[in-house]
Amino acid sequence: MAKGVRVIITLECTECRSNSNKRSPGVSRYTTMKNRRNTTARLELKKFCTHCNTHTVHKEIK
């Protein structure tokens, strides 16, 4: 069976990976969908991180 055009991706907070002094331990992750044909590069969005308690850049992970 062929893969579809729209795929589910995971966005992970970039600040949580490197910052040790945050509000609570853990890494913020969101799931969303993207069109593989139109958006071939990795997605970067500003989302709210509950662990950092602020809006940070979330990057697509594999």
Side-chain angles (χ1 to χ4, degrees):
M1 185 165 183
K3 289 187 178 180
V5 176
R6 296 194 72 79
V7 291
I8 296 173
I9 60 166
T10 305
L11 301 172
E12 184 177 71
C13 179
T14 56
E15 298 291 321
C16 283
R17 279 191 259 165
S18 59
N19 191 3
S20 61
N21 56 350
K22 52 190 172 188
R23 191 170 67 104
S24 63
V27 177
S28 173
R29 289 196 174 126
Y30 286 93
T31 58
T32 186
M33 296 183 86
K34 80 170 186 178
N35 190 322
R36 204 181 323 176
R37 286 191 195 136
N38 297 339
T39 314
T40 56
R42 293 204 175 211
L43 202 59
E44 287 186 11
L45 295 174
K46 270 195 127 177
K47 305 284 281 181
F48 182 78
C49 177
T50 55
H51 301 286
C52 301
N53 206 25
T54 182
H55 284 84
T56 59
V57 175
H58 284 63
K59 290 186 181 179
E60 177 182 342
I61 59 172
K62 193 103 182 178

